[in-house]
Amino acid sequence: MTITDLPQPNPGRARLLGTATLLVVAAGSAAGLFLVPADALQGEVQRLLYVHVPAAWLAMLSFFVVFVMSVLYLIQRDPKWDLLAVSAAEIGIVFTALALVLGSLWGKPTWGVWWTWDPRLTTTAIMLMIYVGYLVVRSFADDPEKRARWSAIIGIIGFVDVPIVYLSVLWWRTLHQPPSSPRSMAGEFVYVLLLNVAAFTLLYVYLMLRRYRLAVAERHVEELRLTRDDGRIT
Amino acid sequence: MEGQPTGTPFMVAGYLITWAVLAWYVWRLNRRSADARRALESAPATPHADEETESN
């Protein structure tokens, strides 16, 4: 398959999805801010849970998508898997950074520090560095096939850290609490958390559609530039 | 302990940062898409370029 054959999401549907996503994310934030009471022990700062947990979830989902797309690329050598992988990696970086910042904002009033070398925080920071490195490596390669191959390998090896991040709170003694689940939270908190997780997942679908369209367009630009440069050489 | 007063500014900052980051990322996608579209429009026409770079 050549780049000109790549499938493109429908722009009209993406716009509709964007509007729906905005409404659902706004509803989720409003519910987290105004609908549920503040936590009895932590106070108002506990409301950060409704954005921190969905951001962390999307980070892990994104890097899982990078892993799957990277495997598919190495098997099929179809550029669409590479473009989906880079789209997911970029979005994953945004949400990993967001989860770290939100965690830090929660940590200062709760733990008394902005940052500590806790296993969950440290492995998450390493995860962020791995995928920033993934994008940096891509920027070094001029040849699209070589770039896709290198980044697919990093996308597969780098994913090793993702289950470590998830399991870090179970494997080691950490300041960070174990994964939040319906069993560890009261009902009203669970519903709002699930609403926000669903809203952010919808947001993820929207961002992936937009980012993938951009990746295809940028590959067209690159292909045109390479064709033009080849013409000059010959 | 209920409703620690110090928590509110951190909570408000967290939500503001979340919305600001999401808005920035969508703005950045729009800007990069517009750049790519302009680059394709200024290039010699190809059958696929036109259909795949319709506006967002």
Side-chain angles (χ1 to χ4, degrees), chain A residues 7-73:
Chain A
Q8 281 275 45
N10 183 307
R13 276 188 214 154
R15 205 175 298 122
L16 191 67
L17 181 65
T19 309
T21 302
L22 183 68
L23 292 174
V24 178
V25 173
S29 288
L33 285 169
F34 308 114
L35 199 66
V36 279
D39 182 79
L41 289 175
Q42 295 180 25
E44 296 293 330
V45 78
Q46 179 268 341
R47 296 182 194 278
L48 285 175
L49 178 89
Y50 306 119
V51 277
H52 171 72
V53 171
W57 149 244
L58 284 199
M60 291 191 180
L61 174 67
S62 297
F63 299 141
F64 177 67
V65 171
V66 175
F67 172 75
V68 173
M69 297 303 143
S70 299
V71 171
L72 286 172
Y73 177 78

Side-chain angles (χ1 to χ4, degrees), chain A residues 127-138:
Chain A
M127 184 171 79
L128 180 63
M129 291 301 112
I130 289 170
Y131 289 93
V132 168
Y134 173 96
L135 292 189
V136 171
V137 166
R138 290 184 70 89

Side-chain angles (χ1 to χ4, degrees), chain A:
Chain A
M1 180 185 277
T2 66
I3 194 74
T4 48
D5 298 324
L6 287 171
Q8 281 275 45
N10 183 307
R13 276 188 214 154
R15 205 175 298 122
L16 191 67
L17 181 65
T19 309
T21 302
L22 183 68
L23 292 174
V24 178
V25 173
S29 288
L33 285 169
F34 308 114
L35 199 66
V36 279
D39 182 79
L41 289 175
Q42 295 180 25
E44 296 293 330
V45 78
Q46 179 268 341
R47 296 182 194 278
L48 285 175
L49 178 89
Y50 306 119
V51 277
H52 171 72
V53 171
W57 149 244
L58 284 199
M60 291 191 180
L61 174 67
S62 297
F63 299 141
F64 177 67
V65 171
V66 175
F67 172 75
V68 173
M69 297 303 143
S70 299
V71 171
L72 286 172
Y73 177 78
L74 290 181
I75 295 170
Q76 298 184 355
R77 303 291 166 142
D78 185 332
K80 86 175 169 209
W81 303 128
D82 174 54
L83 298 185
L84 282 165
V86 68
S87 303
E90 190 180 286
I91 294 168
I93 287 169
V94 171
F95 283 103
T96 306
L98 197 55
L100 283 172
V101 170
L102 292 169
S104 186
L105 282 165
W106 178 86
K108 179 62 179 166
T110 315
W111 296 344
V113 288
W114 293 105
W115 178 265
T116 177
W117 294 103
D118 169 272
R120 168 58 71 87
L121 276 64
T122 307
T123 52
T124 305
I126 292 169
M127 184 171 79
L128 180 63
M129 291 301 112
I130 289 170
Y131 289 93
V132 168
Y134 173 96
L135 292 189
V136 171
V137 166
R138 290 184 70 89
S139 70
F140 287 148
D142 287 332
D143 175 32
E145 281 188 38
K146 195 183 286 180
R147 179 197 306 141
R149 198 168 60 246
W150 286 359
S151 43
I153 292 165
I154 299 170
I156 291 168
I157 296 172
F159 184 72
V160 170
D161 187 49
V162 177
I164 295 174
V165 172
Y166 183 77
L167 295 167
S168 59
V169 288
L170 304 173
W171 284 353
W172 295 293
R173 286 165 61 91
T174 62
L175 267 176
H176 194 286
Q177 68 266 41
S180 301
S181 74
R183 276 170 290 174
S184 64
M185 297 170 70
E188 54 195 333
F189 298 111
V190 173
Y191 296 134
V192 175
L193 180 59
L194 290 177
L195 171 65
N196 277 283
V197 167
F200 270 60
T201 306
L202 193 64
L203 174 67
Y204 178 72
V205 173
Y206 170 70
L207 291 177
M208 274 296 286
L209 282 173
R210 292 290 315 276
R211 184 60 185 83
Y212 176 66
R213 285 188 72 219
L214 171 64
V216 173
E218 287 181 341
R219 274 295 294 272
H220 276 298
V221 173
E222 183 181 31
E223 198 175 62
L224 286 169
R225 185 172 52 78
L226 290 173
T227 309
R228 194 185 57 206
D229 292 349
D230 285 349
R232 278 184 193 158
I233 292 165
T234 51

Side-chain angles (χ1 to χ4, degrees), chain A residues 48 51 98 101-102 105, chain B residues 8-20:
Chain A
L48 285 175
V51 277
L98 197 55
V101 170
L102 292 169
L105 282 165
Chain B
T8 305
F10 294 93
M11 182 270 291
V12 172
Y15 275 84
L16 287 177
I17 289 170
T18 301
W19 279 86

Side-chain angles (χ1 to χ4, degrees), chain B residues 25-38:
Chain B
Y25 189 63
V26 171
W27 170 81
R28 191 167 170 273
L29 285 178
N30 285 337
R31 200 192 60 179
R32 286 176 66 186
S33 299
D35 287 348
R37 197 164 51 244
R38 268 195 299 275

